[in-house]
Structure formats: structure tokens, C-alpha cells
């Protein structure tokens, strides 16, 4: 299951291998446009400094909420209020439209909002849907301290610990093995 909000949260990239490198992909040329295209959202004019700062603020508020969820705590009221303010930026309604063959119908969500307000609203909406329509115990942060990737645990028993078993999972297992070998020797 993929979520716009999780892709957005992970725009704060960290080198999972432990080099200490970190990259704010919101500032990386073309990254945001690529994300919006991936999620079929209109790419407004290039993001200026004000837009980047507001997106960064939204990401940090959402991140704090995820961290609270992972700890089994309630989110801070000011972060919930900020999420609600972002939701208000892009009010929407449902519209029934005919399919191209004229024989069927589809339900489409439309909004009078445009530009960056629509983007803020859609990201906030994705996050609100994740929090309210899913088991929040499945929202996790990778156990690799160097990674800290946010992911949705789709395992049957909610036991997944790493964002990716082949990357972070193997790396952490090798680190633990080497640590045990040092203790023995």
C-alpha cells in the first residue's frame, strides 16, 4: 500500500548505511515535481522559498505526529491543529462523471483550490486518511537509527521492524553479528 504522505515524509532522506549523510529532498531540484507527477497532482509554478518553508513545516508537524503514534502517545494538539489548517486549504467535493465509453460512471474528487494550496491540502488529506482509516500501529519508523524511514507495516502480525528487509534488515543483522563476534573474541 502506498501513501502520498509517507512519500512526502520520507523527503527527509538519510543514508541508511551509516555515513551520516542527510538530504532534504524538498530542496533538491526536480524531486518535488517528480513526486507530484507520480501522484497525478498538477505541478504548480516552481516552489519559491515561502512554499518550501511551509512544506518543510508541514513535514515536521506530520513527523512529530508519526513519532507520537509510534510511541503509542497522542499527538500534540498544535500539530493536529496544523494538520487541520492544511486540510482547509483544499476543500473538495465528489463529482460523478461518465466514463469514456459512455456506459459507466466514475466518482472523482475535485477541488476549487489550485497551486500549492491544493498540494498542501492533498498531502494533509493523505495523512489524515492514513491516521483515521488504518490501524495506526502499522505506521512505523525503521529500526535502523541511520535510516529513520517512515513506512506502513503490511505484515500479517505487524512485526516488521525495518523499511526494507534486504537493505536495512540485512545491514542491522550483519551489525549485530559482528558485535557478537567482537564480544566473543
Amino acid at each position: 500500500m502506498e501513501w502520498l504522505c509517507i512519500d512526502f515524509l520520507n523527503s527527509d532522506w538519510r543514508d541508511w548505511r551509516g555515513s551520516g549523510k542527510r538530504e532534504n529532498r524538498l530542496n533538491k531540484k526536480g524531486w518535488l515535481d517528480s513526486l507530484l507527477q507520480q501522484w497525478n497532482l498538477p505541478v504548480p509554478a516552481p516552489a519559491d522559498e515561502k512554499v518550501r518553508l511551509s512544506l518543510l513545516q508541514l513535514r515536521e508537524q506530520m513527523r512529530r505526529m508519526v513519532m507520537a503514534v509510534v510511541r503509542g502517545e497522542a499527538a500534540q494538539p498544535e500539530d493536529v491543529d496544523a494538520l487541520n489548517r492544511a486540510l482547509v486549504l483544499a476543500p473538495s467535493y465528489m463529482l460523478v462523471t461518465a466514463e469514456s465509453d459512455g456506459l459507466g460512471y466514475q466518482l472523482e474528487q475535485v477541488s476549487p483550490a489550485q497551486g500549492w494550496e491544493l498540494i498542501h491540502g492533498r498531502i494533509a488529506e493523505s495523512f489524515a486518511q492514513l491516521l483515521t482509516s488504518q490501524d495506526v500501529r502499522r505506521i512505523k519508523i525503521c529500526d535502523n537509527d541511520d535510516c529513520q524511514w517512515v513506512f506502513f507495516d503490511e505484515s500479517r502480525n505487524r512485526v516488521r521492524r525495518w523499511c526494507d528487509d534486504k537493505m536495512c534488515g540485512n545491514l542491522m543483522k550483519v551489525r549485530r553479528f559482528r558485535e557478537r563476534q567482537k564480544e566473543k573474541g
Side-chain angles (χ1 to χ4, degrees):
M1 185 177 300
E2 294 188 23
W3 293 90
L4 166 61
C5 61
I6 290 179
D7 288 348
F8 176 72
L9 279 163
N10 290 329
S11 64
D12 181 14
W13 177 85
R14 298 161 193 208
D15 183 6
W16 57 275
R17 294 165 294 210
S19 71
K21 290 182 184 176
R22 193 170 179 176
E23 178 180 77
N24 177 6
R25 290 186 170 169
L26 292 177
N27 291 331
K28 185 176 180 182
K29 185 176 172 84
W31 185 89
L32 188 55
D33 292 349
S34 175
L35 175 74
L36 299 178
Q37 288 173 352
Q38 175 187 342
W39 287 95
N40 297 320
L41 292 170
V43 179
D48 59 19
E49 191 62 24
K50 183 180 175 184
V51 167
R52 269 198 211 77
L53 286 174
S54 65
L55 287 170
L56 180 62
Q57 187 176 31
L58 177 62
R59 185 182 72 194
E60 293 307 313
Q61 291 159 336
M62 289 169 46
R63 180 78 181 193
R64 284 192 300 268
M65 291 179 75
V66 166
M67 290 170 63
V69 164
V70 168
R71 290 188 306 261
E73 301 171 357
Q76 294 296 313
E78 56 269 16
D79 290 332
V80 176
D81 290 343
L83 179 63
N84 284 328
R85 284 192 302 277
L87 287 167
V88 169
L89 291 175
S92 63
Y93 56 91
M94 302 307 285
L95 189 66
V96 174
T97 57
E99 291 185 357
S100 59
D101 61 9
L103 301 175
Y105 298 92
Q106 60 190 18
L107 196 57
E108 182 180 348
Q109 182 181 15
V110 294
S111 174
Q114 296 180 22
W116 290 108
E117 286 186 348
L118 177 64
I119 303 306
H120 273 80
R122 288 292 187 256
I123 292 168
E125 178 185 342
S126 172
F127 190 60
Q129 287 176 346
L130 176 63
L131 292 175
T132 60
S133 70
Q134 300 295 318
D135 180 355
V136 294
R137 295 173 296 179
R138 292 188 180 276
I139 303 169
K140 297 188 177 179
I141 297 174
C142 184
D143 271 358
N144 178 355
D145 289 335
D146 294 321
C147 177
Q148 297 290 299
W149 203 256
V150 175
F151 67 96
F152 187 79
D153 181 358
E154 295 182 71
S155 68
R156 181 178 300 206
N157 297 322
R158 297 185 319 266
V159 296
R160 206 167 128 198
R161 297 175 51 197
W162 301 287
C163 63
D164 187 308
D165 285 337
K166 290 178 181 69
M167 293 184 335
C168 286
N170 283 345
L171 179 70
M172 299 308 293
K173 290 172 189 174
V174 167
R175 284 182 183 170
R176 282 197 315 266
F177 173 78
R178 289 180 179 162
E179 191 64 35
R180 285 193 306 270
Q181 295 305 310
K182 280 183 187 177
E183 290 172 2
K184 288 180 182 179

